């Protein structure tokens, strides 16, 4: 495994694989890796001759300076985990390498970006699209791997991939959870031990609420989750929405769509966590 910091060096290595028609997979990450990331990497290793993992805390997707400053960074540990998982190239660029000039591009993803994360984190998805499009341009992978934990991000990336005509297969990977149900996240390591003990309630309520379909109404389902979390002052809900899994727009009744997902963003102490649960699966799944 090679650790690479410059775009030119990465392109030179990948060029050698491309002339041999070897398929390349990309896993974009912000580091502080955990088992959830590694599952994406393992799939990328299985499905491609060459696995590239980027580790870059992208400043343009943070709308909150403190969140950027406090984002965990563990490059040596990340490299070790990636080596064990079979990654071939770790790309760890500096901010200057990725943004020699400020990126002034503005993306418009329409209704997809105006809800949930998009409305609570203004500019976030523009920053995500800036960095992911740059990584796509540099690596030009055959496949790129993203987690369903960031459900809205996945929809945005699929849209960007279409809009910019990238010939890249976007591979969605299921949420990886701790034994107690908490969705794995780099941010979990910032939870105090008391907050960490309480955090699994989020997934517990989401899973229980999934048993309500189709008997209880969507409104009752939302109340069950939000009221369950409101009982403990450790939690501060930002949003919980039940949406069409493709358009991300809210649905009123279970019959309104064949693919329905509940998405939540909630502070547990000072740490903002996101999670989601599928209420109705796409017919093809
Ligand atoms: P991040 O480093 O948080 O930007 O995440 C990098 C990629 O890993 C994104 O595509 C995430 O959706 C994915 N990811 C993060 N946590 C998980 C998880 N618990 N399960 C599955 N994928 C995840």
């Amino acid at each position: 495994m090679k650790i690479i910091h410059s775009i030119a060096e990465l392109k030179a290595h990948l060029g050698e694989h491309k002339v041999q028609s070897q398929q390349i997979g990309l896993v974009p990450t912000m580091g502080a890796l955990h088992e959830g990331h590694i599952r994406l990497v393992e799939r990328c290793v299985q499905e491609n001759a060459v696995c590239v993992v980027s580790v870059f805390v992208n400043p343009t997707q943070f709308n909150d300076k403190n969140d950027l400053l406090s984002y965990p960074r563990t490059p040596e540990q990340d490299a070790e985990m990636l080596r064990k998982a079979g990654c071939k190239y770790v790309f760890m660029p500096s901010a200057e390498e990725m943004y020699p000039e400020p990126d002034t591009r503005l993306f418009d993803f329409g209704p997809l970006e105006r809800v949930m994360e998009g409305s609570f984190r203004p500019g976030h998805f523009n920053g995500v699209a800036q960095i992911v499009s740059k990584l796509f341009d540099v690596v030009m992978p055959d496949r790129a791997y993203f987690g369903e934990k960031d459900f809205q991000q996945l929809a945005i990336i699929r849209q960007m991939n279409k809009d910019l005509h990238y010939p890249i297969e976007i591979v969605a990977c299921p949420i990886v959870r701790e034994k107690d149900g908490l969705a794995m996240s780099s941010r979990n390591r910032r939870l105090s031990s008391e907050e960490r003990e309480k955090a699994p309630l989020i997934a517990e309520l989401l899973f229980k609420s999934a048993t309500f379909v189709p008997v209880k109404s969507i409104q009752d389902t939302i109340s069950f989750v939000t009221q369950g979390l409101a009982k403990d002052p450790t939690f501060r809900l930002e949003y919980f929405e039940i949406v069409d899994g493709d358009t991300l727009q809210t649905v009123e009744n279970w019959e309104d769509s064949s693919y329905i997902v509940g998405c939540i963003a909630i502070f547990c102490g000072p740490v903002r966590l996101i999670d989601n649960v599928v209420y109705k699966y796409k017919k093809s799944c």
Side-chain angles (χ1 to χ4, degrees), residues 207-227:
F207 294 154
K208 270 195 193 147
S209 76
T211 65
F212 289 10
V213 189
V215 178
K216 294 201 177 159
S217 70
I218 289 204
Q219 214 25 262
D220 285 350
T221 309
I222 292 175
S223 302
F224 173 78
V225 172
T226 56
Q227 287 171 14

Side-chain angles (χ1 to χ4, degrees), residues 28-31 34 36-37 40 71 145-150 153 173-177 183-186:
T29 82
M30 297 206 299
H34 49 69
H37 295 111
L40 268 64
Y71 200 85
Y145 295 78
F146 295 90
E148 286 173 343
K149 171 166 175 285
D150 296 85
Q153 169 172 281
C173 304
I175 302 179
V176 181
R177 297 180 180 280
M184 288 190 186
S185 165
S186 306

